[in-house]
């Protein structure tokens, strides 16, 4: 196992790593829409927050030498499933066919009051 960490994405807000490289597979911890330079949640609706969240994921993927094309599975957590369509719109800006497998669930709360969180599994 090898630690993946970048200053281009927010530091972990607990005892976990941004990502762990296991050779052919990289496991990315959930990213929320924090500004990496301040650690503060970005203001705005689901589209603004989703873009920041995916930019953070992209920074971690880049540090691992990967891109969104390497992602094979995502899990998205939303505090309001009513944001599903708006999330999909932004998701499509970062992922292309063949899309990764995905789960999307509504949760009661996320760290720092985020509207969304996404974790990923990527393959080399």
């Amino acid at each position: 196992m090898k630690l993946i960490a970048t200053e281009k994405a927010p530091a972990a807000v607990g005892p976990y790593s941004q990502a762990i490289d296991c050779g052919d597979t990289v496991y990315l911890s959930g990213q929320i829409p924090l500004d990496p330079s301040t650690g503060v949640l970005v203001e705005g609706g689901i589209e603004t927050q989703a873009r920041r969240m995916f930019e953070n994921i992209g920074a971690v993927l880049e540090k691992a030498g990967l891109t969104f094309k390497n992602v094979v599975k995502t899990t998205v957590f939303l505090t309001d499933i009513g944001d599903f369509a708006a999330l999909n719109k932004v998701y499509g800006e970062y992922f292309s066919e063949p899309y990764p497998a995905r789960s999307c669930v509504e949760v009661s709360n996320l760290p720092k009051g985020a509207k969304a969180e996404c974790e990923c599994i990527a393959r080399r």
Side-chain angles (χ1 to χ4, degrees), residues 37-119:
S37 63
T38 64
V40 174
L41 187 73
V42 297
E43 293 185 19
I46 186 62
E47 290 185 17
T48 299
Q49 287 201 6
R51 281 190 185 88
R52 178 73 264 165
M53 175 180 72
F54 289 124
E55 290 298 315
N56 293 343
I57 288 168
V60 177
L61 288 168
E62 178 183 21
K63 182 67 175 186
L66 304 171
T67 70
F68 285 96
K69 291 263 187 209
N70 295 96
V71 175
V72 297
K73 171 70 168 87
T74 64
T75 305
V76 178
F77 306 93
L78 295 172
T79 58
D80 181 353
I81 202 68
D83 288 336
F84 186 76
L87 179 277
N88 276 340
K89 178 182 172 197
V90 177
Y91 190 94
E93 295 172 13
Y94 292 87
F95 295 98
S96 58
E97 292 186 27
Y99 297 109
R102 183 179 85 180
S103 300
C104 185
V105 296
E106 182 180 64
V107 295
S108 64
N109 203 359
L110 288 168
K112 301 205 175 211
K115 295 178 182 295
E117 180 173 1
C118 183
E119 63 183 23

